[in-house]
Amino acid sequence: MLALVRRWSLGLANAAEITGRLEDGVEEVPGRAMRVAHALQARDGDEFAKPGTLVEVRFVKGQSLSLTAARLLALMILTAGGDAWEPVAHRMRKADIRRGHKGNERISEMLEELHRTLFAVDDLSWRGRKATKRFSLIQSSREEIDEDGAEAGWIEWEFTPDARRLIRESETYAVLNRQAVLGFRSTYALRLYELGALRLHRRQSNWRADMTAIRAAFGIAPELYKDFAQLRRKVLEKAKAEIDHLAHFTVDWREIRRGRTVVEVDFTFQAKAVPIQLTMAESEGEDIALKDRRAYRAAAITTPPALPAPVRVPAKPPGPGDSALRFPSGSLLYGAELFGEIAVAHGGGWSRDLIADAYRVEMGARLANLTGAKLMKSWTGFCQSFAARRGRP
């Protein structure tokens, strides 16, 4: 019997050494979310995993995070990676934060906002009854400030024990893109982006919630948008416009009414189609822009130039708002300066023809009916979305 106990003890010690650590005799093993976060961190790319338990945490009534504080929290989770559940200090350069915050907000103000914002989750009381637990995410933080008061150096922080427990136990996660997170201009859009990314990874394309749950998830103050028409215009429509441009999915919703009153909203998230040539280039580990240039040169050598069809030349080229303006079928390098300039300005440095090919694939037959100002808005948004998803070439 004693030998069996010793063998069991050795096995437990080995398991703790491999998969976790022992604290007060209880083995702590991180869930799937942290394992995925560690793998994404090793790639050193723009994608990172946010635990589903943190995505679904509710704001305490009357509290929410500003856009800058929400971005900072996302960067903290990205930086902590697979070690976010550990009781250790995490560090980040202020310069990395400033790349995502172009305004005049001070980093100290963002940290203080994170400290004082309360979140809520469903829990059990000491008697085993349903209860609401309120807590903050940041336990302590340190900020380096030089002698002149300028924001330089590093910040250091630790997550609270409650936050670490949620992070450690999470088996679900949302894969987010750093460029997309920093590209959002609405805190509601960023919040809906996280919720949509979580559900897509769960393979649940819908999220149905009543108005109380929606206001708690978005952190909408009680005095704001009491009329649903205002909430639709100020929150949902703005969030949809940004997500459709920046995220790797689109969002729509259906309003469920009782009489004339909207009582629930059923959100639907749909992943965007990824062009086949981009997926192949990623799997082969080849630089996409370089591959595009090679393909372009090969086509120029092997394919004889086609004779242009006789067309009626307008007195002046169509402008951005002209209904005669259509998306070109050929290269954007010549004769399509307006579209090429937009690709250069918003395409993140990618080849304008590569973006154009991806745009044609995604739009399909719809592109034939898109003209004028609507076409320019759609093309600009796609270029921004392409750059946010792909990062820099």
Side-chain angles (χ1 to χ4, degrees):
M1 184 65 180
L2 183 59
L4 288 176
V5 171
R6 288 176 178 172
R7 288 173 61 185
W8 178 82
S9 301
L10 288 174
L12 182 61
N14 290 335
E17 182 179 351
I18 295 173
T19 60
R21 56 185 177 78
L22 292 172
E23 182 176 339
D24 297 329
V26 179
E27 184 180 358
E28 292 187 353
V29 180
R32 181 175 175 82
M34 284 295 92
R35 297 197 298 270
V36 172
H38 188 273
L40 291 176
Q41 190 178 33
R43 296 181 185 178
D44 196 24
D46 281 332
E47 289 187 334
F48 65 100
K50 182 171 183 177
T53 49
L54 289 191
V55 173
E56 294 186 313
V57 71
R58 306 187 305 272
F59 289 102
V60 169
K61 187 176 180 179
Q63 295 198 25
S64 63
L65 288 176
S66 66
L67 177 61
T68 52
R71 284 176 178 169
L72 176 57
L73 178 60
L75 292 177
M76 286 177 163
I77 294 172
L78 182 155
T79 301
D83 296 328
W85 67 283
E86 297 276 10
V88 297
H90 308 282
R91 301 172 183 86
M92 178 168 43
R93 290 182 182 274
K94 289 188 177 183
D96 294 334
I97 302 173
R98 269 295 169 209
R99 283 208 294 265
H101 301 278
K102 304 300 183 183
N104 295 322
E105 303 89 352
R106 295 183 60 83
I107 293 175
S108 58
E109 295 173 359
M110 302 179 209
L111 288 171
E112 291 168 5
E113 182 178 349
L114 286 176
H115 276 288
R116 64 175 178 263
T117 301
L118 290 177
F119 298 85
V121 293
D122 295 328
D123 205 343
L124 296 176
S125 70
W126 62 277
R127 296 192 297 172
R129 295 188 177 183
K130 292 182 179 180
T132 298
K133 184 173 187 177
R134 299 172 182 86
F135 62 96
S136 57
L137 294 179
I138 306 299
Q139 175 173 286
S140 64
S141 64
R142 299 175 184 83
E143 177 189 9
E144 290 183 349
I145 301 177
D146 66 9
E147 295 178 356
D148 297 328
E151 293 183 342
W154 295 68
I155 66 166
E156 184 180 40
W157 74 94
E158 295 180 21
F159 293 111
T160 62
D162 291 316
R164 294 200 307 268
R165 182 178 62 83
L166 288 177
I167 293 171
R168 175 175 58 84
E169 295 177 352
S170 183
E171 295 292 337
T172 61
Y173 57 91
V175 175
L176 309 179
N177 183 282
R178 182 182 185 276
Q179 297 297 329
V181 167
L182 298 181
F184 284 113
R185 294 295 177 264
S186 163
T187 183
Y188 302 130
L190 177 54
R191 187 72 177 137
L192 189 57
Y193 168 65
E194 293 179 346
L195 291 167
L198 174 63
R199 276 156 181 80
L200 283 178
H201 263 273
R202 286 178 175 174
R203 298 185 179 180
Q204 298 173 344
S205 58
N206 289 77
W207 173 47
R208 182 166 173 168
D210 59 23
M211 301 312 301
T212 301
I214 290 173
R215 298 182 75 91
F218 284 96
I220 300 175
E223 67 275 8
L224 293 179
Y225 316 134
K226 295 182 179 180
D227 180 32
F228 183 80
Q230 290 181 317
L231 189 143
R232 182 198 301 118
R233 185 174 64 256
K234 298 290 188 179
V235 177
L236 300 184
E237 291 180 354
K238 288 186 177 181
K240 172 180 170 56
E242 292 195 40
I243 287 173
D244 288 354
H245 285 165
L246 294 174
H248 58 283
F249 58 89
T250 59
V251 60
D252 287 292
W253 68 86
R254 178 173 60 92
E255 298 165 9
I256 302 168
R257 299 176 179 269
R258 183 179 298 148
R260 300 182 63 182
T261 304
V262 177
V263 293
E264 289 184 314
V265 178
D266 188 10
F267 294 91
T268 302
F269 306 98
Q270 183 66 41
K272 293 179 179 177
V274 180
I276 295 176
Q277 63 269 26
L278 299 186
T279 305
M280 290 179 61
E282 285 182 336
S283 65
E284 295 168 0
E286 183 174 359
D287 182 84
I288 296 175
L290 178 60
K291 184 176 182 180
D292 180 65
R293 289 194 296 271
R294 290 173 179 170
Y296 182 84
R297 290 170 185 165
I301 295 173
T302 60
T303 306
L307 295 176
V311 294
R312 183 176 180 181
V313 180
K316 61 177 182 179
D322 195 332
S323 60
L325 184 67
R326 293 183 178 275
F327 197 78
S329 59
S331 173
L332 301 190
L333 296 175
Y334 309 102
E337 288 80 6
L338 187 58
F339 294 95
E341 290 172 0
I342 292 176
V344 171
H346 301 284
W350 291 99
S351 163
R352 62 187 75 181
D353 284 336
L354 178 67
I355 303 176
D357 288 341
Y359 181 61
R360 295 184 186 104
V361 170
E362 178 161 324
M363 296 300 295
R366 295 175 295 168
L367 192 56
N369 300 323
L370 202 57
T371 62
K374 291 184 178 180
L375 170 62
M376 300 307 295
K377 183 178 179 180
S378 172
W379 170 240
T380 302
F382 183 85
C383 291
Q384 294 170 344
S385 174
F386 189 94
R389 295 195 308 268
R390 310 301 305 172
R392 286 281 176 179

